[in-house]
Amino acid sequence: MAKAFADTHRSIGWAAVYASPMKRAIATAKPLCDALGLEMQLRDGLKEIRYGKWEDKTADFVKQHYWEDYIRWLAEPAWNPPTGGETSVEISSRASLVIAEIQEKYSAGNVLVVSHKATIRIILCELLGIDLGRYRDRIDMPAGTVSIVKFDVHGPMLQVLGDRTYMGENLRSRPGT
């Protein structure tokens, strides 16, 4: 998917590439950075949600051992974290600092932000004024999608959400994507 993205989008005038320092985000951004000779800007604010004690556990395990926390998190993730994890508000706070840095440094040009499903949806909610607790309910985002937000005089404008046309059908139809 990363190579297909780089092949399709390398002709765009990229000013910068920002990525989560997690392995899969780096692997996703690397083909484009290599093709264009751009340095990847790694930012902790773009990391995936911290699931705390739920990390690497199945949903069944979490339900069995952390039922009350799980139900609260499902109902209102903006203020109720996974046990020992972080809320949508906390994710938004750290990610917003990265978005502000990008806006300050790159008032013009295209900046690629490579992050993770929950984090991207929370960023989009923050930018578009959608309740952060509704990120799972309001924005659907399959793996490897491209969304485009244009920053203009009137604020952020969502121009594309969840595009996967750069992938061939063989990639789009794989289970889990």
Side-chain angles (χ1 to χ4, degrees):
M1 287 185 208
K3 184 176 178 336
F5 175 83
D7 291 345
T8 302
H9 296 287
R10 71 185 319 146
S11 63
I12 293 175
W14 295 105
V17 175
Y18 280 69
S20 158
M22 298 178 87
K23 289 178 187 177
R24 66 183 183 267
I26 291 170
T28 299
K30 189 172 182 351
L32 183 70
C33 288
D34 289 350
L36 300 177
L38 286 173
E39 182 180 341
M40 195 180 313
Q41 305 294 317
L42 301 179
R43 297 295 184 271
D44 284 344
L46 297 175
K47 283 184 176 179
E48 178 61 290
I49 182 174
R50 282 185 290 109
Y51 285 99
K53 293 182 179 183
W54 302 1
E55 201 73 50
D56 299 322
K57 304 290 189 267
T58 65
D60 288 338
F61 179 91
V62 169
K63 289 176 194 175
Q64 183 179 0
H65 292 89
Y66 303 103
W67 177 253
E68 289 182 25
D69 287 351
Y70 180 71
I71 292 302
R72 282 192 291 272
W73 179 70
L74 285 179
E76 186 50 72
W79 300 105
N80 295 290
T83 310
E86 65 184 332
T87 66
S88 303
V89 170
E90 291 168 320
I91 295 164
S92 177
S93 293
R94 65 174 163 79
S96 292
L97 295 174
V98 179
I99 299 303
E101 175 188 339
I102 292 168
Q103 288 179 289
E104 184 179 314
K105 287 184 177 180
Y106 302 97
S107 59
N110 299 297
V111 176
L112 177 65
V113 175
V114 181
S115 188
H116 309 274
K117 186 175 178 176
T119 305
I120 292 171
R121 292 186 294 173
I122 290 166
I123 290 169
L124 290 174
C125 284
E126 177 69 29
L127 291 173
L128 301 173
I130 298 170
D131 179 351
L132 296 176
R134 304 282 56 92
Y135 75 93
R136 292 186 304 249
D137 305 327
R138 300 290 183 256
I139 299 177
D140 187 24
M141 186 157 297
T145 62
V146 174
S147 297
I148 299 172
V149 176
K150 180 181 180 183
F151 290 88
D152 205 345
V153 66
H154 300 292
M157 166 68 80
L158 181 63
Q159 293 185 315
V160 175
L161 176 65
D163 179 57
R164 297 177 357 136
T165 57
Y166 72 91
M167 295 181 207
E169 180 57 36
N170 62 328
L171 289 176
R172 282 195 307 269
S173 63
R174 284 187 179 176
T177 60

